[in-house]
Amino acid sequence: VQLQAYGGGLVQAGGSLRLSCAASGRSIGSGTTGWFRQASGKEREFVAWISWGGLTTYYSNFVKGRFTISKDDAKNTVYLQMNSLKPEDTAVYYCAAGRRYSNAVNDYDFWGQGSLVTVSR
């Protein structure tokens, strides 16, 4: 299973970016897909997950109302639309595939390489 995250970049505070996570070797419809992030010097933290059917989503409190996770089964891709970005959102964003609905890093078996998001003031 391979996951490739892309779409990061530099954006001003208040701007938007959309991250994509393309999966190969595994259907995104066969389990949970999550987004995590890791800022420099900090631990990796949960951002959002989407269920295998796409009907259930869950967000961390610090992105709720600003970020939206979605998926396109035909493209085998999960997205993270990020709006109203803040400097504290600066981090490397990772997508991951797991077998259960979870916020925990250890519940995800496969990880993408990460995509850097930098939000300037």
Side-chain angles (χ1 to χ4, degrees), residues 3-21:
L3 302 173
Q4 183 175 4
Y6 58 95
L10 175 63
V11 64
Q12 289 187 331
S16 298
L17 281 174
R18 188 178 79 159
L19 300 180
S20 300
C21 175

Side-chain angles (χ1 to χ4, degrees), residues 27-45:
S27 168
I28 59 170
S30 62
T32 304
T33 304
W35 284 98
F36 293 77
R37 70 186 187 186
Q38 187 166 17
S40 181
K42 296 187 177 181
E43 293 187 353
R44 193 168 299 189
E45 62 181 2

Side-chain angles (χ1 to χ4, degrees), residues 71-86:
K71 70 190 192 76
D72 185 332
D73 289 339
K75 296 182 178 180
N76 213 29
T77 299
V78 173
Y79 304 99
L80 185 68
Q81 177 66 44
M82 305 184 293
N83 298 328
S84 302
L85 283 162
K86 305 175 182 180

Side-chain angles (χ1 to χ4, degrees), residues 10 17 23-24 28 30 34 38 44 46 60-61 63 66 69 73-75 79 84 86 94-95 103 108 118:
L10 175 63
L17 281 174
S24 59
I28 59 170
S30 62
Q38 187 166 17
R44 193 168 299 189
F46 166 75
S60 64
N61 288 334
V63 305
R66 300 188 297 123
I69 189 170
D73 289 339
K75 296 182 178 180
Y79 304 99
S84 302
K86 305 175 182 180
Y94 298 89
C95 61
N103 303 349
Y108 288 81
T118 303

Side-chain angles (χ1 to χ4, degrees), residues 49-115:
W49 59 253
I50 188 166
S51 64
W52 66 272
L55 297 180
T56 304
T57 58
Y58 189 78
Y59 300 89
S60 64
N61 288 334
F62 50 77
V63 305
K64 198 174 297 182
R66 300 188 297 123
F67 292 11
T68 302
I69 189 170
S70 62
K71 70 190 192 76
D72 185 332
D73 289 339
K75 296 182 178 180
N76 213 29
T77 299
V78 173
Y79 304 99
L80 185 68
Q81 177 66 44
M82 305 184 293
N83 298 328
S84 302
L85 283 162
K86 305 175 182 180
E88 50 264 43
D89 293 318
T90 295
V92 177
Y93 284 71
Y94 298 89
C95 61
R99 291 164 289 171
R100 53 188 293 183
Y101 299 167
S102 174
N103 303 349
V105 170
N106 291 339
D107 283 333
Y108 288 81
D109 303 309
F110 304 100
W111 291 81
Q113 83 287 3
S115 183

